[in-house]
Amino acid sequence: MKFSKSAGITAMAGLAVLGCGVVAYASDAGAQKQPAVTMAQARAVALKAFPGTIDEADLERERGGSGLRYSFDMHRHGHYREVGIDAMTGKVLENRAQESDRED
């Protein structure tokens, strides 16, 4: 049975990894780009950038930095923030306030 290259890339792009909301993404060439920084390491960096509680954590493809980042929705004392950590370097890419009435 033969599969087209685009069907293989599409199938790879849809794979979910680890039961913690992390998604593996396929690069344009079809090979998966693996983060150099672990979720645990990124969580520690995010908590230093904004000490609080992590409500949601995802690995996503987004502009800026290496293009692969961990995104953390966090809160502390009624203040909500989104903290983005580069998945290849561990640098803070984003640390911005969010509205308290978030949609989940």
Coordinates of all heavy atoms in Angstrom, one line a residue:
M1 N 0.8 -1.2 0.0 CA 0.0 0.0 0.0 C 0.9 1.2 0.0 O 1.8 1.3 0.8 CB -0.9 0.0 1.2 CG -1.8 1.1 1.3 SD -2.8 1.0 2.8 CE -4.4 1.2 2.1
K2 N 0.6 2.2 -0.9 CA 1.4 3.4 -1.0 C 0.7 4.6 -0.3 O -0.5 4.7 -0.4 CB 1.6 3.8 -2.5 CG 2.8 3.1 -3.1 CD 3.0 3.7 -4.4 CE 4.4 3.5 -4.9 NZ 4.7 4.1 -6.2
F3 N 1.5 5.4 0.3 CA 1.0 6.7 0.9 C 1.7 7.8 0.3 O 2.9 7.8 0.0 CB 1.2 6.7 2.4 CG 0.4 5.7 3.2 CD1 1.0 4.5 3.6 CD2 -0.9 5.9 3.5 CE1 0.3 3.5 4.3 CE2 -1.6 5.0 4.2 CZ -1.0 3.8 4.6
S4 N 0.9 8.9 0.1 CA 1.6 10.1 -0.5 C 2.3 10.8 0.7 O 2.1 10.6 1.8 CB 0.5 11.1 -1.0 OG -0.3 11.6 0.0
K5 N 3.3 11.6 0.3 CA 4.1 12.3 1.2 C 3.3 13.3 2.0 O 3.4 13.4 3.2 CB 5.2 13.1 0.5 CG 6.2 13.8 1.4 CD 7.3 14.5 0.7 CE 8.2 15.2 1.6 NZ 9.3 15.9 0.9
S6 N 2.3 14.0 1.4 CA 1.5 14.9 2.1 C 0.6 14.2 3.1 O 0.3 14.7 4.2 CB 0.7 15.8 1.2 OG -0.2 15.0 0.4
A7 N 0.1 13.0 2.8 CA -0.7 12.3 3.8 C 0.1 11.9 5.0 O -0.4 11.9 6.1 CB -1.3 11.0 3.1
G8 N 1.4 11.5 4.8 CA 2.2 11.1 5.9 C 2.5 12.3 6.8 O 2.5 12.2 8.0
I9 N 2.7 13.5 6.2 CA 3.0 14.7 7.0 C 1.7 15.1 7.8 O 1.8 15.4 8.9 CB 3.4 15.9 6.0 CG1 4.8 15.6 5.5 CG2 3.4 17.2 6.8 CD1 5.3 16.5 4.4
T10 N 0.6 15.0 7.1 CA -0.7 15.3 7.8 C -0.9 14.4 9.0 O -1.3 14.8 10.1 CB -1.9 15.2 6.8 OG1 -1.6 16.1 5.7 CG2 -3.2 15.6 7.5
A11 N -0.7 13.1 8.8 CA -0.8 12.2 9.9 C 0.1 12.4 11.0 O -0.3 12.4 12.2 CB -0.6 10.8 9.3
M12 N 1.4 12.8 10.7 CA 2.4 13.1 11.8 C 2.0 14.3 12.5 O 2.2 14.4 13.7 CB 3.8 13.2 11.1 CG 4.4 11.9 10.7 SD 6.0 12.1 9.9 CE 6.9 12.8 11.3
A13 N 1.5 15.3 11.8 CA 1.1 16.6 12.5 C 0.0 16.4 13.5 O -0.1 17.2 14.4 CB 0.7 17.6 11.4
G14 N -0.8 15.4 13.4 CA -1.9 15.2 14.3 C -1.6 14.3 15.5 O -2.5 14.1 16.3
L15 N -0.4 13.8 15.6 CA -0.1 12.9 16.7 C 0.0 13.7 18.1 O 0.6 14.7 18.2 CB 1.3 12.3 16.5 CG 1.4 11.3 15.3 CD1 2.8 10.8 15.1 CD2 0.4 10.2 15.5
A16 N -0.7 13.2 19.1 CA -0.6 13.8 20.4 C 0.4 12.9 21.2 O 0.5 11.7 21.1 CB -1.9 13.7 21.1
V17 N 1.2 13.6 22.1 CA 2.2 13.0 22.8 C 2.0 13.2 24.3 O 1.6 14.3 24.7 CB 3.6 13.5 22.4 CG1 4.7 12.8 23.2 CG2 3.8 13.4 21.0
L18 N 2.4 12.3 25.2 CA 2.3 12.4 26.6 C 0.9 12.9 27.1 O 0.4 13.8 26.6 CB 3.3 13.5 27.1 CG 4.8 13.2 26.7 CD1 5.6 14.4 27.2 CD2 5.3 12.0 27.3
G19 N 0.3 12.4 28.0 CA -1.0 12.8 28.4 C -1.2 14.1 29.0 O -2.2 14.3 29.7
C20 N -0.3 15.1 28.8 CA -0.4 16.3 29.6 C -0.7 17.5 28.6 O -0.2 18.6 28.9 CB 0.9 16.6 30.3 SG 2.4 16.6 29.3
G21 N -1.3 17.3 27.5 CA -1.7 18.4 26.7 C -0.6 18.9 25.7 O -0.7 19.9 25.2
V22 N 0.5 18.1 25.6 CA 1.6 18.5 24.8 C 1.4 17.8 23.4 O 1.0 16.7 23.3 CB 2.9 18.0 25.4 CG1 4.1 18.3 24.4 CG2 3.2 18.6 26.7
V23 N 1.5 18.6 22.4 CA 1.3 18.1 21.0 C 2.6 18.1 20.2 O 3.4 19.1 20.3 CB 0.3 19.0 20.3 CG1 0.1 18.5 18.8 CG2 -1.0 18.9 21.0
A24 N 2.9 17.0 19.6 CA 4.1 17.0 18.7 C 3.8 17.6 17.4 O 2.7 17.2 16.8 CB 4.6 15.5 18.5
Y25 N 4.6 18.4 16.8 CA 4.4 19.1 15.6 C 5.4 18.5 14.5 O 6.5 18.4 14.8 CB 4.5 20.6 15.7 CG 3.5 21.2 16.5 CD1 3.7 21.4 17.9 CD2 2.3 21.6 16.0 CE1 2.7 21.9 18.7 CE2 1.3 22.1 16.8 CZ 1.5 22.3 18.1 OH 0.6 22.9 18.9
A26 N 4.9 18.4 13.3 CA 5.8 18.0 12.2 C 6.3 19.2 11.5 O 5.6 20.2 11.4 CB 5.0 17.2 11.2
S27 N 7.6 19.3 11.2 CA 8.1 20.4 10.5 C 7.7 20.3 9.0 O 7.0 19.4 8.6 CB 9.6 20.4 10.5 OG 10.1 19.3 9.7
D28 N 8.0 21.4 8.3 CA 7.6 21.4 6.9 C 8.2 20.2 6.1 O 7.6 19.8 5.1 CB 8.0 22.7 6.2 CG 7.2 23.9 6.8 OD1 6.1 23.7 7.4 OD2 7.8 25.0 6.8
A29 N 9.3 19.8 6.5 CA 10.0 18.6 5.8 C 9.4 17.3 6.2 O 9.8 16.3 5.7 CB 11.5 18.7 6.0
G30 N 8.6 17.3 7.3 CA 8.0 16.0 7.7 C 8.7 15.4 8.9 O 8.2 14.5 9.5
A31 N 9.8 16.0 9.3 CA 10.5 15.4 10.5 C 10.0 16.2 11.7 O 9.7 17.4 11.7 CB 12.0 15.6 10.4
Q32 N 9.9 15.5 12.9 CA 9.4 16.2 14.1 C 10.5 17.0 14.7 O 11.6 16.5 14.8 CB 8.8 15.1 15.0 CG 7.6 14.5 14.5 CD 7.0 13.5 15.5 OE1 7.7 13.0 16.4 NE2 5.7 13.3 15.4
K33 N 10.1 18.2 15.2 CA 11.1 19.0 15.9 C 10.9 18.8 17.4 O 9.8 19.0 17.9 CB 10.8 20.5 15.5 CG 11.7 21.5 16.0 CD 11.4 22.8 15.5 CE 12.4 23.9 15.9 NZ 12.1 25.2 15.3
Q34 N 11.9 18.3 18.0 CA 11.8 17.9 19.4 C 12.3 19.1 20.3 O 13.4 19.6 20.0 CB 12.5 16.7 19.7 CG 12.0 15.4 19.1 CD 10.6 15.1 19.5 OE1 10.3 15.2 20.7 NE2 9.7 14.8 18.6
P35 N 11.7 19.4 21.4 CA 12.2 20.5 22.2 C 13.5 20.1 23.0 O 13.6 18.9 23.4 CB 11.0 20.8 23.2 CG 10.2 19.6 23.2 CD 10.4 18.9 21.8
A36 N 14.4 21.0 23.1 CA 15.6 20.8 23.9 C 15.4 21.0 25.4 O 16.1 20.4 26.2 CB 16.7 21.7 23.4
V37 N 14.3 21.7 25.7 CA 14.0 22.0 27.1 C 12.8 21.2 27.4 O 11.8 21.1 26.7 CB 13.6 23.5 27.2 CG1 13.1 23.8 28.6 CG2 14.8 24.4 26.9
T38 N 12.8 20.5 28.6 CA 11.7 19.7 29.0 C 10.5 20.5 29.5 O 10.7 21.7 29.9 CB 12.1 18.7 30.1 OG1 12.4 19.4 31.3 CG2 13.2 17.8 29.7
M39 N 9.4 19.9 29.6 CA 8.2 20.7 30.2 C 8.5 21.1 31.6 O 8.2 22.2 32.1 CB 7.0 19.8 30.1 CG 5.7 20.3 30.8 SD 5.0 21.8 30.1 CE 4.0 21.0 28.8
A40 N 9.1 20.2 32.4 CA 9.5 20.5 33.8 C 10.4 21.7 33.9 O 10.3 22.5 34.8 CB 10.1 19.2 34.5
Q41 N 11.4 21.7 33.0 CA 12.4 22.8 33.0 C 11.7 24.1 32.7 O 11.9 25.2 33.3 CB 13.5 22.6 32.1 CG 14.4 21.5 32.5 CD 15.4 21.0 31.4 OE1 15.0 21.0 30.2 NE2 16.6 20.6 31.8
A42 N 10.8 24.1 31.7 CA 10.0 25.3 31.2 C 9.1 25.7 32.3 O 8.9 26.9 32.6 CB 9.3 25.0 30.0
R43 N 8.5 24.8 33.1 CA 7.6 25.2 34.2 C 8.4 25.9 35.3 O 7.9 26.9 35.8 CB 7.0 23.9 34.8 CG 5.9 23.3 34.0 CD 5.4 21.9 34.6 NE 4.7 22.2 35.8 CZ 3.4 22.3 35.8 NH1 2.7 22.3 34.7 NH2 2.7 22.5 37.0
A44 N 9.6 25.5 35.5 CA 10.4 26.2 36.6 C 10.8 27.6 36.1 O 10.7 28.5 36.9 CB 11.7 25.4 36.8
V45 N 11.1 27.8 34.8 CA 11.4 29.1 34.3 C 10.1 30.0 34.4 O 10.2 31.2 34.8 CB 11.9 29.0 32.9 CG1 12.1 30.4 32.3 CG2 13.3 28.3 32.9
A46 N 9.0 29.4 34.0 CA 7.7 30.2 34.0 C 7.4 30.6 35.5 O 6.9 31.8 35.7 CB 6.6 29.4 33.4
L47 N 7.6 29.7 36.4 CA 7.3 30.1 37.8 C 8.2 31.1 38.4 O 7.8 31.9 39.3 CB 7.3 28.8 38.7 CG 6.1 27.9 38.4 CD1 6.3 26.5 39.1 CD2 4.8 28.6 39.0
K48 N 9.4 31.2 37.9 CA 10.3 32.3 38.3 C 9.9 33.6 37.7 O 10.0 34.7 38.3 CB 11.8 32.0 37.8 CG 12.4 30.9 38.7 CD 13.9 30.7 38.3 CE 14.5 29.6 39.1 NZ 15.9 29.3 38.7
A49 N 9.4 33.6 36.4 CA 9.0 34.8 35.7 C 7.7 35.3 36.3 O 7.5 36.5 36.4 CB 8.8 34.5 34.2
F50 N 6.8 34.4 36.8 CA 5.6 34.8 37.4 C 5.2 33.8 38.5 O 4.6 32.8 38.2 CB 4.4 34.9 36.4 CG 3.1 35.4 37.0 CD1 2.9 36.7 37.4 CD2 2.1 34.5 37.2 CE1 1.7 37.1 37.9 CE2 0.9 34.9 37.7 CZ 0.7 36.2 38.1
P51 N 5.6 34.0 39.7 CA 5.3 33.0 40.8 C 3.8 33.0 41.0 O 3.2 34.0 41.3 CB 6.0 33.6 42.0 CG 7.1 34.5 41.5 CD 6.5 35.1 40.2
G52 N 3.2 31.8 40.8 CA 1.8 31.6 40.9 C 1.4 30.2 40.7 O 2.2 29.3 40.9
T53 N 0.2 30.0 40.2 CA -0.3 28.7 39.9 C -0.5 28.5 38.4 O -1.0 29.4 37.7 CB -1.7 28.4 40.6 OG1 -1.5 28.6 42.0 CG2 -2.2 27.1 40.3
I54 N 0.0 27.4 37.9 CA -0.1 27.1 36.5 C -1.5 26.4 36.2 O -1.7 25.3 36.8 CB 1.0 26.2 35.9 CG1 2.4 27.0 36.0 CG2 0.8 25.7 34.5 CD1 3.6 26.2 35.7
D55 N -2.3 27.0 35.4 CA -3.6 26.5 35.1 C -3.6 25.6 33.9 O -4.4 24.6 33.9 CB -4.6 27.6 34.9 CG -4.8 28.5 36.1 OD1 -4.8 28.0 37.2 OD2 -4.8 29.7 35.9
E56 N -2.8 25.9 32.9 CA -2.8 25.1 31.7 C -1.4 25.3 31.1 O -0.7 26.3 31.2 CB -3.8 25.7 30.7 CG -4.0 24.8 29.5 CD -5.1 25.3 28.6 OE1 -6.1 25.9 29.1 OE2 -5.0 25.2 27.4
A57 N -0.9 24.2 30.5 CA 0.4 24.2 29.9 C 0.4 23.4 28.5 O -0.2 22.4 28.5 CB 1.5 23.5 30.8
D58 N 0.9 24.1 27.5 CA 0.9 23.5 26.2 C 2.2 23.7 25.5 O 2.9 24.7 25.7 CB -0.2 24.1 25.3 CG -1.6 23.9 25.8 OD1 -1.9 22.7 25.9 OD2 -2.3 24.8 26.1
L59 N 2.6 22.8 24.6 CA 3.7 23.0 23.7 C 3.1 23.4 22.3 O 2.2 22.7 21.8 CB 4.5 21.7 23.5 CG 5.7 21.7 22.5 CD1 6.7 22.8 22.9 CD2 6.3 20.4 22.5
E60 N 3.5 24.5 21.8 CA 2.9 25.0 20.6 C 3.9 25.6 19.6 O 5.0 26.0 20.0 CB 1.7 25.9 20.9 CG 2.1 27.1 21.7 CD 1.0 27.9 22.3 OE1 -0.1 27.3 22.4 OE2 1.1 29.1 22.6
R61 N 3.5 25.7 18.4 CA 4.3 26.4 17.3 C 3.7 27.8 17.2 O 2.5 28.0 17.0 CB 4.1 25.6 16.0 CG 5.1 25.9 15.0 CD 4.9 25.1 13.8 NE 5.6 23.8 13.9 CZ 6.9 23.5 13.9 NH1 7.7 24.6 13.8 NH2 7.4 22.3 13.9
E62 N 4.6 28.8 17.4 CA 4.2 30.2 17.4 C 5.4 31.0 17.0 O 6.6 30.7 17.3 CB 3.7 30.6 18.8 CG 3.0 31.9 18.8 CD 2.2 32.2 20.1 OE1 1.6 31.2 20.6 OE2 2.3 33.3 20.5
R63 N 5.2 32.1 16.3 CA 6.2 33.0 15.9 C 7.0 33.5 17.1 O 6.5 33.7 18.2 CB 5.7 34.2 15.1 CG 5.1 33.8 13.8 CD 4.7 35.1 13.1 NE 4.1 34.7 11.8 CZ 3.9 35.4 10.8 NH1 4.2 36.7 10.9 NH2 3.3 35.0 9.8
G64 N 8.3 33.8 16.8 CA 9.2 34.3 17.9 C 10.1 33.2 18.4 O 9.7 32.1 18.5
G65 N 11.3 33.6 18.7 CA 12.2 32.6 19.3 C 12.5 31.5 18.2 O 12.6 31.7 17.1
S66 N 12.5 30.3 18.7 CA 12.8 29.1 17.8 C 11.5 28.7 17.0 O 11.6 27.9 16.1 CB 13.3 27.9 18.6 OG 12.2 27.4 19.5
G67 N 10.4 29.3 17.4 CA 9.1 28.9 16.8 C 8.4 27.8 17.5 O 7.3 27.5 17.2
L68 N 9.0 27.2 18.5 CA 8.4 26.1 19.3 C 8.5 26.6 20.7 O 9.6 26.9 21.3 CB 9.2 24.8 19.1 CG 8.6 23.6 19.7 CD1 7.2 23.3 19.0 CD2 9.5 22.4 19.4
R69 N 7.3 26.7 21.4 CA 7.3 27.3 22.8 C 6.3 26.5 23.6 O 5.3 26.0 23.2 CB 7.0 28.8 22.8 CG 5.5 29.1 22.5 CD 5.2 30.5 22.7 NE 5.9 31.4 21.8 CZ 6.0 32.7 21.9 NH1 5.3 33.3 22.8 NH2 6.6 33.4 21.0
Y70 N 6.7 26.6 24.9 CA 5.7 26.2 26.0 C 4.9 27.4 26.4 O 5.5 28.5 26.6 CB 6.5 25.6 27.2 CG 7.2 24.3 27.0 CD1 8.6 24.3 26.8 CD2 6.5 23.1 27.0 CE1 9.2 23.1 26.6 CE2 7.2 21.9 26.8 CZ 8.5 21.9 26.6 OH 9.2 20.7 26.4
S71 N 3.6 27.3 26.4 CA 2.7 28.3 26.8 C 2.1 28.0 28.1 O 1.5 26.9 28.2 CB 1.7 28.6 25.7 OG 0.8 29.6 26.1
F72 N 2.2 28.8 29.1 CA 1.6 28.6 30.4 C 0.5 29.7 30.7 O 0.8 30.9 30.7 CB 2.7 28.6 31.5 CG 3.7 27.5 31.3 CD1 4.9 27.8 30.7 CD2 3.5 26.3 31.8 CE1 5.8 26.8 30.5 CE2 4.4 25.3 31.6 CZ 5.6 25.5 31.0
D73 N -0.7 29.2 31.0 CA -1.7 30.1 31.6 C -1.6 30.0 33.1 O -1.7 28.9 33.6 CB -3.1 29.7 31.1 CG -3.3 30.0 29.6 OD1 -2.6 30.8 29.0 OD2 -4.1 29.3 29.0
M74 N -1.4 31.2 33.7 CA -1.1 31.2 35.1 C -2.0 32.2 35.9 O -2.5 33.1 35.3 CB 0.4 31.5 35.4 CG 1.3 30.5 34.6 SD 3.0 31.0 34.7 CE 3.4 30.7 36.4
H75 N -2.1 32.1 37.2 CA -2.7 33.1 38.0 C -2.1 33.2 39.4 O -1.5 32.2 39.9 CB -4.3 32.8 38.1 CG -4.6 31.7 39.1 ND1 -4.5 30.4 38.8 CD2 -4.9 31.8 40.4 CE1 -4.9 29.7 39.8 NE2 -5.1 30.5 40.8
R76 N -2.4 34.3 40.0 CA -1.9 34.6 41.4 C -2.8 35.7 41.9 O -2.8 36.8 41.3 CB -0.5 34.9 41.5 CG 0.0 35.2 42.9 CD 1.5 35.6 43.0 NE 1.6 37.0 42.4 CZ 2.7 37.3 41.7 NH1 3.7 36.5 41.4 NH2 2.7 38.6 41.2
H77 N -3.5 35.5 43.0 CA -4.3 36.6 43.6 C -5.2 37.3 42.6 O -5.2 38.6 42.6 CB -3.4 37.6 44.4 CG -2.5 36.9 45.3 ND1 -2.9 36.3 46.5 CD2 -1.1 36.9 45.4 CE1 -1.9 35.8 47.1 NE2 -0.8 36.1 46.5
G78 N -5.9 36.6 41.8 CA -6.8 37.2 40.8 C -6.2 37.9 39.6 O -6.8 38.5 38.8
H79 N -4.8 37.7 39.5 CA -4.1 38.3 38.3 C -3.8 37.1 37.4 O -3.2 36.1 37.9 CB -2.8 39.0 38.7 CG -3.1 40.2 39.6 ND1 -3.5 41.4 39.1 CD2 -3.1 40.3 40.9 CE1 -3.7 42.2 40.0 NE2 -3.4 41.6 41.2
Y80 N -4.1 37.2 36.1 CA -3.9 36.1 35.2 C -2.8 36.6 34.2 O -2.8 37.7 33.7 CB -5.2 35.8 34.4 CG -6.2 35.2 35.3 CD1 -7.0 36.0 36.1 CD2 -6.3 33.8 35.5 CE1 -7.9 35.5 37.0 CE2 -7.2 33.3 36.3 CZ -8.0 34.1 37.1 OH -9.0 33.5 38.0
R81 N -1.9 35.6 33.8 CA -0.8 35.9 32.9 C -0.6 34.7 32.0 O -0.9 33.6 32.3 CB 0.5 36.2 33.6 CG 0.4 37.4 34.5 CD 1.8 37.9 34.9 NE 2.5 38.6 33.9 CZ 2.3 39.9 33.6 NH1 1.3 40.5 34.1 NH2 3.1 40.5 32.7
E82 N -0.1 35.0 30.8 CA 0.3 34.0 29.9 C 1.9 34.2 29.8 O 2.4 35.2 29.5 CB -0.3 34.2 28.5 CG 0.2 33.1 27.5 CD -0.4 33.1 26.2 OE1 -1.3 34.0 25.9 OE2 -0.1 32.3 25.3
V83 N 2.6 33.1 30.1 CA 4.0 33.1 30.0 C 4.4 32.1 29.0 O 4.0 30.9 29.0 CB 4.6 32.7 31.4 CG1 6.1 32.7 31.3 CG2 4.2 33.7 32.5
G84 N 5.3 32.6 28.0 CA 5.8 31.7 26.9 C 7.3 31.5 27.1 O 8.0 32.4 27.3
I85 N 7.7 30.2 27.0 CA 9.1 29.8 27.2 C 9.5 29.1 25.9 O 8.9 28.2 25.5 CB 9.2 28.9 28.4 CG1 8.6 29.4 29.7 CG2 10.7 28.5 28.6 CD1 9.2 30.7 30.2
D86 N 10.6 29.6 25.4 CA 11.2 29.0 24.1 C 11.6 27.5 24.4 O 12.3 27.3 25.4 CB 12.4 29.8 23.6 CG 12.8 29.3 22.3 OD1 13.3 28.2 22.1 OD2 12.8 30.2 21.3
A87 N 11.1 26.6 23.7 CA 11.3 25.2 23.9 C 12.7 24.7 23.5 O 13.1 23.6 23.8 CB 10.2 24.4 23.2
M88 N 13.4 25.6 22.8 CA 14.8 25.2 22.4 C 15.8 25.8 23.3 O 16.9 25.3 23.5 CB 15.0 25.5 21.0 CG 14.0 24.9 20.0 SD 13.9 23.1 20.2 CE 15.3 22.6 19.2
T89 N 15.5 27.0 23.8 CA 16.6 27.8 24.6 C 16.2 28.0 26.1 O 17.1 28.2 26.9 CB 16.8 29.2 24.0 OG1 15.6 30.0 24.2 CG2 17.2 29.1 22.5
G90 N 14.9 27.9 26.4 CA 14.5 28.1 27.8 C 14.3 29.5 28.2 O 14.0 29.9 29.3
K91 N 14.4 30.5 27.2 CA 14.3 31.9 27.4 C 12.8 32.3 27.5 O 11.9 31.7 26.8 CB 14.9 32.7 26.3 CG 16.4 32.6 26.4 CD 17.1 33.5 25.3 CE 18.6 33.3 25.4 NZ 19.2 34.2 24.4
V92 N 12.5 33.3 28.3 CA 11.1 33.8 28.4 C 10.9 34.6 27.2 O 11.6 35.6 26.9 CB 10.9 34.7 29.7 CG1 9.5 35.3 29.7 CG2 11.2 33.8 30.9
L93 N 9.8 34.3 26.4 CA 9.5 35.0 25.2 C 8.3 35.9 25.4 O 8.1 36.8 24.7 CB 9.1 34.0 24.1 CG 10.3 33.0 23.6 CD1 9.7 32.0 22.6 CD2 11.4 33.8 23.0
E94 N 7.5 35.6 26.4 CA 6.2 36.3 26.6 C 5.9 36.2 28.1 O 6.1 35.2 28.8 CB 5.1 35.6 25.8 CG 3.8 36.2 25.9 CD 2.8 35.6 25.0 OE1 2.9 34.4 24.8 OE2 1.8 36.3 24.6
N95 N 5.4 37.3 28.7 CA 5.0 37.4 30.0 C 4.0 38.5 30.1 O 4.3 39.6 30.4 CB 6.1 37.6 31.0 CG 5.7 37.5 32.5 OD1 4.6 37.4 32.8 ND2 6.7 37.5 33.3
R96 N 2.7 38.2 29.7 CA 1.8 39.3 29.6 C 0.5 39.0 30.3 O 0.1 37.9 30.5 CB 1.4 39.6 28.1 CG 0.7 38.4 27.4 CD 0.3 38.8 26.0 NE -0.2 37.7 25.3 CZ -1.5 37.4 25.3 NH1 -2.4 38.2 25.9 NH2 -2.0 36.3 24.6
A97 N -0.1 40.1 30.8 CA -1.4 40.0 31.5 C -2.5 39.5 30.6 O -2.5 39.8 29.4 CB -1.7 41.4 32.1
Q98 N -3.4 38.8 31.2 CA -4.7 38.4 30.6 C -5.9 38.8 31.3 O -5.8 39.1 32.5 CB -4.7 36.8 30.5 CG -3.7 36.2 29.6 CD -3.9 34.7 29.5 OE1 -4.2 34.1 30.5 NE2 -3.7 34.2 28.3
E99 N -7.0 38.9 30.7 CA -8.2 39.2 31.3 C -8.6 38.1 32.3 O -8.3 36.9 32.1 CB -9.4 39.3 30.3 CG -9.2 40.5 29.3 CD -9.3 41.8 30.0 OE1 -10.1 42.0 30.9 OE2 -8.5 42.7 29.6
S100 N -9.2 38.5 33.4 CA -9.6 37.5 34.4 C -10.8 36.6 34.0 O -11.0 35.5 34.4 CB -9.9 38.2 35.8 OG -11.0 39.0 35.6
D101 N -11.6 37.2 33.1 CA -12.7 36.4 32.6 C -12.3 35.7 31.3 O -12.7 36.0 30.2 CB -13.9 37.3 32.2 CG -14.5 38.0 33.5 OD1 -14.4 37.4 34.5 OD2 -15.0 39.1 33.3
R102 N -11.5 34.6 31.5 CA -11.0 33.8 30.4 C -12.0 32.8 30.0 O -12.8 32.3 30.8 CB -9.7 33.1 30.8 CG -8.6 34.1 31.2 CD -7.4 33.3 31.6 NE -7.8 32.3 32.6 CZ -7.1 31.2 32.9 NH1 -6.0 31.0 32.3 NH2 -7.5 30.4 33.8
E103 N -12.0 32.5 28.7 CA -12.8 31.4 28.2 C -11.9 30.1 28.3 O -10.8 30.1 27.8 CB -13.2 31.6 26.7 CG -14.2 32.7 26.6 CD -14.7 32.8 25.2 OE1 -14.8 31.8 24.5 OE2 -15.0 33.9 24.7
D104 N -12.5 29.0 28.8 CA -11.8 27.8 28.9 C -12.2 26.8 27.9 O -13.2 26.7 27.4 CB -12.0 27.1 30.3 CG -11.3 28.0 31.4 OD1 -10.2 28.6 31.1 OD2 -11.8 28.0 32.5

